Amino acid sequence: EVHVVESGGGLVQTGGSLKLSCDVSEITEEEPRIGWFRQAPGNERMGVACIDTTDNKTKYEDSAKDRFTISRDNAKNTIYLQISDLKPEDTAVYYCAVDRRIISWCLWAGAKYGMDYWGEGIQVTVSS
């Protein structure tokens, strides 16, 4: 079983930046797609960015392309989500998840239909 733990959240001011970390117990060829998701109050969970660890290709939700960057530290089995120019609407619980299916599933279907392994989530609050 793969264990996923998010860290790095907290309270930040509008315009600031934040780097979230997702520590994965193991990254394997069987479970190589890793994504970041978020769920704002009153909204459904949605995909933000995903990475395919077999080739490090990435995909982003359209609204996330300008300010969000997903990256990987191979040595640490850690996936990062860098968020710049934070806005109050970025306030949400951010989740990391691991899956065996294609990267498009991760970004477009994973939040609604499931990923194989989820972290517990971490709160990010952006003050105005």
Side-chain angles (χ1 to χ4, degrees), residues 5-12 17-23 36 80-81 83 86 94 121-125:
V5 179
E6 304 96 340
S7 63
L11 175 65
V12 293
S17 62
L18 204 61
K19 190 172 187 177
L20 305 181
S21 298
C22 172
D23 292 313
W36 281 98
Y80 301 102
L81 184 69
I83 314 172
L86 279 155
Y94 284 74
I122 191 165
Q123 179 70 46
V124 172
T125 302

Side-chain angles (χ1 to χ4, degrees), residues 58-106:
T58 59
K59 276 189 178 291
Y60 293 88
E61 195 272 332
D62 286 346
S63 66
K65 289 179 180 177
D66 291 336
R67 299 185 295 114
F68 292 70
T69 303
I70 188 170
S71 62
R72 175 188 180 188
D73 184 333
N74 295 350
K76 295 182 179 180
N77 278 353
T78 301
I79 305 296
Y80 301 102
L81 184 69
Q82 177 77 45
I83 314 172
S84 61
D85 191 21
L86 279 155
K87 306 176 186 301
E89 51 264 40
D90 294 322
T91 294
V93 178
Y94 284 74
Y95 299 87
C96 182
V98 178
D99 200 76
R100 66 193 184 280
R101 286 160 284 208
I102 61 174
I103 194 171
S104 293
W105 173 278
C106 170

